[in-house]
Amino acid sequence: MNTFLIKLLPKLLFVLMSFFHVILVTGQTFHIKGRIMDADTKEFLDGVSVTLRGTAFGEISSKGGNFMIDQIVGDKYTLALNLPGYNKFEQNVNLTKDLDLGDLYMVKFGAEGSGAALQKTIRANNITNLFNDRPNMIGGNMVYGIPPEPKKLEGNNYLDLKWNSASLLLYRDQQVLEGFRVRYNIVSNMFELMEPENNLVSVMPGLRIQNFVWVDSTYKVPRYFVNGMDFKDEGAPIAGFFEVLVDGELPLMRRTMAVFKESNYNSALMVGNRNDQIIKRNVYYFLKGEDVIEVPKGRKKIFALFGDLADEMANYTNENGIDLKEPSGLFQLFTYYNSKFPGFRPIMTQLLEDTDTN
């Protein structure tokens, strides 16, 4: 028995030393932080469940997609992100010090243009699972299923990618929010509001905002937008916002649409666009009562909108060489028509046609 103990002693000492080493390393605590964003729209995601898989550590992202989990014992973990409507995201982390993961991107189920980001997510999850299943790469030294560098998404879903100083009128109690810089996501109908003092970003759904005015950061002029929920399109309320270009008897309004265009690249022929694109286009409407109606094509149909003044509008167009195929021509014509009625005040002196596509 004594001989057996003598032979076993070195092994017991090794196990004991390893045990104390683990206690020494893992006894320290650290924190993990990061910011979660939508892979397509780049908008911040609040309400994401952030957990370390297999542990009780967890947090919910807030205040611009930010999260921080503290008092974590040093060790290797799998960070998991979960949000209804989005693909699951996982990432291996080795916590030996405070860790800032920076921006983490989640992909919405069926999101427009999500192909590139989804491929990256699938690759990340495949590699995470591979290392969890074979941490020493036993059974082979190749990682299968990794596709070539995926295509990218060009463009964005913002009405203006830049932050603009704005005043917002809320439906509830007609409260006015001022002093914020804002961006508006056309597709999600969500506003991002940045507080000027601390640069914290919060998110507000468009359905809470009746109208807003922002000072265009490029042209330094105010622009006025109204909620489509107050109008109707063929009898149905409208989601999203319209910019009022000309107010008065027959208002002219504009709505910016974000259209997704998938890559049509042919690798064999080496022709076409390599990347998916978000292309913005402007659609022009006039307001008749509560009905928002798209401005028709064709000069005669446009002149007919002005009723008894149709002939006068036609003469004005011809005498001034106005091209009604151009938005600036519509702006000029509607401005002239509305100026004939008492109380008319122009909102802007010239049409701002540029749409931020970066």
Side-chain angles (χ1 to χ4, degrees):
M1 181 64 68
N2 291 338
T3 303
F4 174 76
L5 288 175
I6 292 173
K7 292 182 179 180
L8 190 61
L9 186 59
K11 295 182 180 180
L12 291 174
L13 289 174
F14 176 77
V15 172
L16 191 60
M17 291 175 63
S18 299
F19 175 73
F20 281 113
H21 175 73
V22 170
I23 292 178
L24 180 63
V25 172
T26 61
Q28 302 178 61
T29 60
F30 308 98
H31 72 249
I32 298 176
K33 67 178 182 178
R35 182 173 62 173
I36 306 171
M37 305 174 71
D38 185 294
D40 285 341
T41 66
K42 302 302 184 294
E43 66 180 353
F44 308 118
L45 296 179
D46 291 339
V48 179
S49 173
V50 184
T51 59
L52 298 181
R53 200 171 67 185
T55 75
F57 293 107
E59 184 60 88
I60 301 295
S61 66
S62 62
K63 297 181 179 179
N66 291 287
F67 71 89
M68 186 171 75
I69 307 175
D70 55 13
Q71 299 298 313
I72 310 172
V73 177
D75 204 345
K76 294 180 180 180
Y77 298 95
T78 299
L79 181 79
L81 309 181
N82 288 279
L83 181 65
Y86 283 79
N87 292 282
K88 183 178 180 181
F89 176 95
E90 290 187 350
Q91 178 175 327
N92 281 333
V93 293
N94 185 10
L95 199 59
T96 59
K97 60 181 181 179
D98 292 336
L99 193 58
D100 185 352
L101 298 176
D103 293 338
L104 303 176
Y105 296 94
M106 297 189 70
V107 180
K108 186 179 294 184
F109 292 144
E112 294 182 341
S114 62
L118 183 58
Q119 287 294 333
K120 293 181 180 179
T121 301
I122 291 173
R123 287 200 293 163
N125 285 342
N126 283 345
I127 294 173
T128 297
N129 294 332
L130 177 67
F131 278 94
N132 287 337
D133 295 338
R134 295 192 283 134
N136 297 319
M137 298 302 289
I138 298 174
N141 57 3
M142 295 180 62
V143 180
Y144 295 98
I146 301 181
E149 181 66 24
K151 58 188 177 182
K152 299 178 181 178
L153 178 65
E154 298 176 351
N156 62 81
N157 289 326
Y158 289 98
L159 180 62
D160 187 343
L161 191 60
K162 300 180 291 295
W163 295 90
N164 295 289
S165 299
S167 296
L168 302 97
L169 176 66
L170 306 186
Y171 280 107
R172 185 174 181 178
D173 301 327
Q174 295 293 285
Q175 179 183 357
V176 177
L177 298 182
E178 294 185 292
F180 289 89
R181 287 181 292 159
V182 305
R183 295 195 305 186
Y184 173 60
N185 188 306
I186 302 168
V187 175
S188 66
N189 194 24
M190 298 287 286
F191 285 82
E192 296 173 8
L193 288 75
M194 180 183 294
E195 298 180 16
E197 295 181 358
N198 49 27
N199 290 337
L200 289 178
V201 175
S202 57
V203 180
M204 179 178 293
L207 56 85
R208 292 183 55 189
I209 299 173
Q210 184 171 359
N211 59 59
F212 68 93
V213 180
W214 75 23
V215 178
D216 188 281
S217 58
T218 300
Y219 295 95
K220 306 301 181 185
V221 296
R223 298 172 65 179
Y224 179 49
F225 299 82
V226 293
N227 199 323
M229 293 197 306
D230 291 331
F231 310 112
K232 295 180 180 179
D233 181 8
E234 297 182 354
I238 309 166
F241 284 78
F242 291 81
E243 181 177 6
V244 181
L245 304 174
V246 182
D247 200 3
E249 184 72 15
L250 192 66
L252 177 67
M253 303 195 297
R254 171 171 64 192
R255 189 181 186 189
T256 303
M257 314 290 285
V259 181
F260 175 72
K261 184 178 180 181
E262 191 171 1
S263 167
N264 60 356
Y265 184 71
N266 187 312
S267 57
L269 300 177
M270 300 180 67
V271 296
N273 294 322
R274 288 181 176 272
N275 299 324
D276 294 332
Q277 296 176 308
I278 294 177
I279 300 174
K280 295 173 194 169
R281 63 183 182 90
N282 293 321
V283 183
Y284 291 82
Y285 300 83
F286 65 93
L287 181 63
K288 191 172 185 179
E290 292 185 350
D291 295 322
V292 175
I293 305 169
E294 185 173 349
V295 175
K297 307 296 182 185
R299 291 164 58 91
K300 291 184 179 180
K301 291 182 178 180
I302 293 176
F303 295 143
L305 301 179
F306 304 110
D308 295 340
L309 297 180
D311 290 340
E312 182 178 347
M313 295 300 106
N315 292 333
Y316 173 79
T317 301
N318 294 331
E319 290 172 1
N320 292 275
I322 298 174
D323 185 358
L324 296 182
K325 294 181 181 179
E326 294 294 327
S328 58
L330 290 176
F331 174 80
Q332 188 175 349
L333 182 62
F334 273 78
T335 299
Y336 177 71
Y337 173 79
N338 285 285
S339 68
K340 292 185 166 297
F341 296 87
F344 171 75
R345 295 181 61 184
I347 294 177
M348 57 178 68
T349 57
Q350 67 178 43
L351 181 64
L352 306 183
E353 297 184 41
D354 295 338
T355 298
D356 190 320
T357 56
N358 296 322

